[in-house]
């Protein structure tokens, strides 16, 4: 018998109500959603999974988000910034192993020294790889001039999570000051697009106070912003953050995990040809987290190439996996994830967002 979910999945366009129904689907219906999203992935972006070597460049952050373990107010974290040599050794690993792309991620800073350092490293990456390594930046809100400078220095993708698209929820999860303005974050996403980046954003799933309606709106927000890439993942509590005191109100880890998978699948159904990362936080909630996410529509993995000695200082949330795992070990595990998911290793190609390519072509 056809269920409501069968009917919705056959529609051309999904409404807010449709998304709410799908997000609330039971186990049997959820399998149908996953089947559909896997089909769409295969048809629209193929079976390759691309690697983005992740360098967690610095955990120094001028912001104080209530959920994050490296917030400026957390005095229990040793702060670091990688030396150029340390960053470049991770980048060299990526280049030598045919990853084709890296992600430079850091806490948010906007002083001249930080901006110059990132610019310098971007130039070094291009030199080291004869321009072959693609670069994604994830360094927070910056001015248009800074975005432009980094773009000219060789970065061509940028990840800036909106974290939650509901402005009220955003306000509840951030200090109420000029540094944490919802509208500034939206403006930053628009500036990134204007500068020419492939733009990625995302949200945390299973936050305290977050509703299914909020998540449906998050999906519609991604559609409205016409994003090229997505990086979303489950919220996981960190004991040195203000949000920790709401830990008893959270969904169970299993439910947060299932809901995250549903969000990936629905986003794949909604914007068919974007790049979507299976994020590390998934693995904290489920031993096969990344593999399952790949099966139902994710097509990007980010092996961690941060030097081991800094890993336990980049703890955005508790129980972050692989903090003692050498690059080689985590690389091999991710390869196994891809093979086990029945997908192909996307070595040696940038694997840019097809969504971006199509938009650029239309212009
Ligand atoms: N749980 C899950 N993800 C988190 N992030 C920050 N804190 C947490 C947490 N407690 C995510 C944010 C940020 C990214 C770098 O890490 O979404 O954008
Ligand atoms: Fe800084 Fe990002 Fe953490 Fe907020 S989420 S405190 S901006 S690193």
């Amino acid at each position: 018998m056809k269920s409501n979910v069968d009917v919705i999945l056959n529609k051309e366009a999904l409404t807010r109500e449709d998304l709410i129904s799908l997000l609330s689907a039971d186990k049997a219906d959820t399998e149908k959603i996953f089947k559909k999203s896997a089909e769409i992935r295969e048809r629209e972006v193929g079976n390759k999974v691309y690697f983005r070597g992740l360098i967690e460049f610095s955990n120094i952050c001028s912001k104080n988000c209530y959920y994050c373990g490296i917030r400026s107010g957390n005095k229990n974290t040793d702060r670091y910034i990688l030396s150029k040599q340390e960053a470049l050794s991770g980048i060299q690993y990526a280049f030598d192993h045919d990853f084709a792309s890296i992600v430079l991620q850091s806490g948010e800073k906007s002083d001249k020294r930080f901006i110059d350092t990132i610019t310098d490293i971007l130039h070094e990456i291009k030199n080291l790889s004869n321009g072959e390594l693609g670069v994604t930046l994830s360094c927070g809100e910056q001015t248009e001039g800074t975005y432009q400078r980094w773009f000219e220095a060789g970065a061509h993708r940028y990840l800036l999570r909106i974290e939650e698209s509901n402005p009220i929820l955003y306000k509840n999860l951030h200090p109420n000051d000029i540094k944490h303005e919802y509208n500034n974050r939206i403006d930053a996403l628009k500036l990134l697009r204007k500068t020419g980046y492939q733009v990625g954003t995302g949200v945390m799933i299973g936050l305290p106070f977050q509703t299914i309606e909020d998540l449906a709106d998050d999906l519609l927000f991604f559609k409205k912003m016409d994003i090229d890439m997505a990086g979303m993942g489950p919220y996981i509590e960190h004991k040195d953050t203000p949000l920790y005191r709401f830990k008893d109100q959270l969904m169970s880890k299993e439910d947060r995990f299932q809901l995250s998978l549903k969000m990936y699948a629905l986003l794949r159904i909604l914007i068919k040809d974007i790049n979507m990362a299976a994020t590390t936080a998934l693995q904290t909630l489920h031993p096969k987290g990344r593999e399952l996410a790949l099966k139902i529509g994710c097509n990007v993995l980010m092996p961690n190439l941060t030097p081991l000695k800094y890993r336990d200082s980049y703890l955005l949330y508790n129980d972050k996996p692989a903090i003692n795992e050498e690059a080689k070990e985590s690389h091999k595990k991710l390869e196994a994830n891809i093979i086990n998911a029945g997908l192909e290793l996307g070595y040696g190609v940038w694997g840019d967002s097809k969504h971006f390519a199509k938009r650029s072509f239309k212009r």
Side-chain angles (χ1 to χ4, degrees):
M1 204 182 79
K2 275 203 166 196
S3 73
N4 189 26
V5 163
D6 291 306
V7 176
I8 297 174
L9 287 176
N10 278 321
K11 288 170 76 167
E12 275 298 311
L14 299 181
T15 64
R16 183 171 191 262
E17 283 62 41
D18 293 335
L19 291 169
I20 293 170
S21 298
L22 295 175
L23 284 165
S24 320
D26 65 15
K27 214 167 175 323
D29 279 338
T30 300
E31 287 308 316
K32 294 178 188 168
I33 300 173
F34 290 168
K35 187 163 172 273
K36 172 101 182 178
S37 64
E39 279 165 17
I40 291 179
R41 185 268 303 288
E42 182 163 2
R43 190 179 72 227
E44 299 285 334
V45 296
N47 277 337
K48 281 209 168 81
V49 178
Y50 303 103
F51 290 102
R52 315 279 187 238
L54 174 65
I55 314 282
E56 293 159 332
F57 182 66
S58 169
N59 68 350
I60 304 172
C61 188
S62 61
K63 286 198 166 172
N64 217 0
C65 309
Y66 291 158
Y67 41 82
C68 177
I70 63 169
R71 62 199 301 272
S72 58
N74 180 8
K75 305 295 176 217
N76 295 333
T77 290
D78 294 329
R79 302 290 166 170
Y80 73 84
I81 179 158
L82 296 190
S83 69
K84 197 173 10 180
Q85 282 325 311
E86 286 170 327
L88 289 177
S89 83
I91 290 159
Q92 186 73 49
Y93 182 98
F95 188 55
D96 292 345
H97 292 83
D98 249 359
F99 283 4
S101 287
I102 59 119
V103 179
L104 263 189
Q105 188 181 76
S106 91
E108 190 173 308
K109 272 171 57 79
S110 38
D111 54 282
K112 183 171 178 317
R113 189 153 169 217
F114 178 76
I115 293 165
D116 288 348
T117 306
I118 296 288
T119 312
D120 190 30
I121 289 191
L122 288 169
H123 286 136
E124 295 277 352
I125 296 170
K126 293 291 156 178
N127 280 340
L128 170 157
S129 70
N130 313 312
E132 284 176 32
L133 269 178
V135 185
T136 308
L137 285 179
S138 180
C139 301
E141 289 166 45
Q142 304 287 344
T143 63
E144 182 171 3
T146 301
Y147 285 152
Q148 186 72 41
R149 214 173 139 203
W150 289 345
F151 189 74
E152 281 161 13
H156 72 295
R157 312 182 188 113
Y158 205 105
L159 282 174
L160 183 74
R161 287 187 178 184
I162 189 65
E163 314 292 3
E164 51 278 327
S165 70
N166 173 346
I168 299 167
L169 184 56
Y170 192 93
K171 219 178 175 132
N172 284 332
L173 299 180
H174 296 92
N176 190 9
D177 63 27
I178 187 79
K179 267 194 194 159
H180 301 82
E181 275 275 341
Y182 177 83
N183 285 332
N184 290 347
R185 205 150 179 95
I186 301 279
D187 289 346
L189 282 170
K190 291 181 182 160
L191 285 178
L192 287 165
R193 165 65 43 78
K194 182 175 161 210
T195 309
Y197 288 95
Q198 294 174 41
V199 180
T201 191
V203 293
M204 282 172 287
I205 300 156
L207 285 158
F209 324 123
Q210 189 182 46
T211 62
I212 289 293
E213 286 75 14
D214 287 330
L215 290 170
D217 288 335
D218 288 337
L219 291 166
L220 293 172
F221 170 85
F222 300 147
K223 179 93 181 161
K224 187 178 89 194
M225 295 297 284
D226 197 24
I227 62 170
D228 306 305
M229 317 180 292
M232 20 176 212
Y235 164 71
I236 300 167
E237 60 275 27
H238 187 296
K239 64 177 173 27
D240 297 322
T241 62
L243 218 56
Y244 190 67
R245 68 193 160 97
F246 298 102
K247 67 176 190 325
D248 297 333
Q249 294 179 23
L250 296 173
M251 262 179 267
S252 72
K253 292 199 165 164
E254 173 61 21
D255 287 353
R256 255 180 284 165
F257 177 69
Q258 287 302 331
L259 193 55
S260 302
L261 289 187
K262 256 192 207 166
M263 283 290 283
Y264 290 129
L266 293 179
L267 185 53
R268 177 60 73 205
I269 294 171
L270 203 60
I271 326 181
K272 302 179 169 31
D273 50 2
I274 57 172
N275 276 351
M276 189 160 64
T279 43
T280 318
L282 278 176
Q283 204 72 9
T284 303
L285 297 187
H286 193 294
K288 289 198 165 176
R290 275 187 306 243
E291 209 168 295
L292 292 169
L294 291 176
K295 271 193 177 156
I296 55 110
C298 290
N299 67 334
V300 168
L301 285 177
M302 304 203 292
N304 197 334
L305 303 179
T306 311
L308 270 190
K309 67 173 170 174
Y310 299 113
R311 297 273 184 95
D312 59 359
S313 298
Y314 206 89
L315 292 186
L316 305 166
Y317 45 84
N318 287 140
D319 304 325
K320 187 174 167 195
I323 57 169
N324 292 316
E325 214 168 74
E326 293 283 359
K328 182 111 209 124
E329 197 183 343
S330 91
H331 176 189
K332 290 293 146 206
K333 280 195 184 159
L334 295 178
E335 273 190 345
N337 288 155
I338 298 174
I339 310 267
N340 292 340
L343 300 168
E344 293 165 34
L345 306 166
Y347 282 123
V349 274
W350 275 12
D352 274 333
S353 161
K354 291 217 160 65
H355 192 76
F356 178 83
K358 284 186 204 157
R359 177 167 359 85
S360 310
F361 185 69
K362 269 191 236 150
R363 255 189 290 171

